[in-house]
């Protein structure tokens, strides 16, 4: 059957909503611990920033592992295991005695747990929705914003009441809710999932006499009995053949620049606000504003891009949102008071929520729903290196220049370049289509098919009018003989 666009799918959306709260919102709130870690361990900006970088990097770097477990074991098992690992990492972090301890527990272990939960939960939403996919993703991904809105002041309060150690311990217990989210992820079998591998395997491996029997099969496992090595290799290759698609390659490069630009802001917004004289509670409130407006961006942009007038232009909506986020970063260095930073939080939060919602939608449009889980694993994997490098680089620029200006300008230009790259790629594609010569009229297609045992080969060649006439004459002479 096709995606139900409702029913239990809304429970999947609810589960993904909770997953984004427990993963992305908690990761964002780690920036509130930044000043506490820096004061307690007596380290500079660059060294302290590695904590947030490693969490984000591990989450994205291990995203393909989450997709692999989801595809070959169970989405439910993967998310529950991830919840246990993430909770363990946060609890162990509350006993940290050095930054290196935090790198391993809060960075690697918690990040790995988040990785096993994040991309499989997002991919499940895509399997349950088609017509209202962008809206469903908007609601599911809004967990990141609403979680930030609620958790930012709560984490600040927990730090004041129980110190940073107690706050991390309580967050560890909260993140265990990921196990509940995993229990909601009921698997679903789609018609397109069932026919992709078997049909292709029929064409390449199955003798003609067995094709009728194999048409009744809906899964690759019976074929494995016939060709264990060939089928497994072929299925594994087909899961990632989208990597050679030009559209996906351009999207992948643009995501590298986008991820580099967006990460430092969530680390340095609070420290920057404190450096220009904003109080601790006002700085945490800026993160709350960013989070709540993020929700509005998630839902409204998801709803708008599901409308008939915009559904065909989701790609341009995505690059517009990324470009606007980059533009807002360029203005941040001149905003040096709380009343001026509030509009920035509104603008950046809205467009951040907008493009985050559209990442899985645009990816599905490029590679197709059957390959969405594997593609999302690769897409989030591509976030890893920028997320690892950009906060320490930004911190080094702050330490070197004594100002946040260079860091924020670099972030802004990086995101604008990401948007411009996608725009130029799409325009180039349209120009290429416009100038392609017509294949109708004086050209024809000729397909040659021959067999070698059980394997059929085919080659398609273009024949001009002279070749067609020559074949016609040759055929006439043959019949006369």
């Amino acid at each position: 059957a096709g995606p139900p666009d409702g029913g239990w799918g809304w429970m999947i959306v609810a589960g993904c909503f909770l997953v984004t709260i427990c993963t992305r919102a908690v990761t964002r709130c780690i920036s509130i611990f930044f000043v506490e870690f820096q004061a307690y361990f007596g380290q500079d900006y660059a060294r302290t920033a590695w904590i947030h970088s490693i969490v984000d990097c591990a989450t994205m770097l291990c995203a393909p592992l989450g997709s692999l477990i989801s595809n070959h074991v169970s989405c439910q098992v993967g998310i529950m295991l991830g919840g246990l690992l993430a909770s363990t990492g946060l609890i162990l972090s509350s006993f940290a005695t050095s930054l290196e301890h935090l790198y391993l527990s809060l960075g690697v272990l918690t990040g790995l747990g988040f990785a096993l939960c994040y991309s499989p939960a997002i991919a499940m939403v895509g399997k349950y929705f088609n017509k209202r996919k962008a809206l469903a993703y908007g609601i599911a991904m809004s967990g990141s914003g609403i979680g930030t809105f609620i958790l930012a002041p709560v984490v600040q309060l927990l730090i004041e009441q129980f110190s940073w150690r107690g706050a991390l311990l309580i967050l560890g217990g909260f993140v265990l809710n990921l196990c509940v989210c995993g229990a909601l992820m009921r698997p679903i079998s789609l018609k397109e999932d069932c026919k992709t591998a078997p049909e292709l395997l029929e064409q390449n491996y199955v003798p003609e006499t067995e094709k009728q029997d194999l048409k009744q099969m809906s899964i690759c496992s019976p074929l494995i009995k016939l060709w264990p090595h060939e089928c497994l290799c072929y299925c594994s290759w087909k899961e990632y053949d989208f990597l050679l698609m030009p559209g996906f390659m351009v999207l992948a490069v643009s995501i590298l620049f986008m991820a580099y630009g967006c990460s430092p802001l969530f680390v340095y917004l609070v420290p920057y606000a404190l450096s220009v004289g904003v109080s601790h509670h006002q700085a945490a409130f800026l993160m709350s504003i960013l989070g709540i407006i993020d929700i509005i961006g998630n839902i409204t942009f998801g709803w708008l891009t599901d409308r008939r007038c915009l559904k065909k232009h989701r790609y341009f909506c995505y690059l517009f949102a990324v470009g606007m986020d980059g533009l807002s970063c360029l203005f941040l260095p001149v905003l040096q008071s709380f009343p001026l930073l509030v509009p920035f939080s509104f603008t950046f939060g809205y467009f951040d929520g907008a493009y985050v919602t559209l990442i899985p939608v645009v990816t599905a449009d490029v590679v197709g729903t059957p390959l969405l889980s594997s593609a999302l694993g690769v897409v989030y994997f591509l976030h890893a290196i920028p997320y690892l490098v950009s906060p320490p680089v930004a911190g080094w620029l702050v330490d070197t220049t004594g100002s946040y200006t260079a860091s924020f300008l670099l972030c802004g230009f990086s995101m604008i370049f990401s948007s411009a790259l996608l725009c130029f790629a799409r325009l180039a594609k349209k120009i290429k289509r416009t100038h392609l010569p017509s294949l109708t009229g004086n050209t024809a297609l000729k397909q040659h098919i021959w067999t070698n045992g059980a394997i059929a080969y085919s080659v398609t060649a273009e024949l001009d009018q002279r070749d067609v006439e020559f074949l016609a004459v040759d055929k006439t002479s043959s019949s006369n003989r």
Side-chain angles (χ1 to χ4, degrees), residues 131 134 299-320 350 354 358 361-362 365 426:
K131 294 179 182 177
I299 297 174
T300 58
F301 233 68
W303 182 82
L304 285 171
T305 52
D306 269 342
R307 301 305 95 197
R308 186 174 297 177
C309 58
L310 288 177
K311 199 164 188 175
K312 295 180 180 178
H313 305 291
R314 288 167 171 171
Y315 190 91
F316 288 103
C317 291
Y318 167 78
L319 64 89
F320 173 74
Y350 182 82
L358 291 180
V361 177
V362 170
D365 289 344
R426 182 53 63 96

Side-chain angles (χ1 to χ4, degrees), residues 58-71 115-116 119 240 373-374 376-382:
T59 301
M60 300 308 175
L61 190 68
C62 300
L65 178 62
S67 298
L68 187 69
I69 293 174
S70 174
N71 291 340
L116 298 184
S119 57
Y240 291 95
S373 180
S374 299
L376 279 178
V378 174
V379 164
Y380 292 126
F381 171 82
L382 291 170

Side-chain angles (χ1 to χ4, degrees), residues 65-66 69-70 73-85 112-118 120 178 182:
L65 178 62
I69 293 174
S70 174
V73 182
S74 167
C75 182
Q76 295 170 316
V77 171
I79 293 176
M80 288 181 179
L81 178 61
L84 290 173
L85 289 174
L112 174 61
F114 288 165
L116 298 184
C117 302
Y118 191 55
L178 285 169

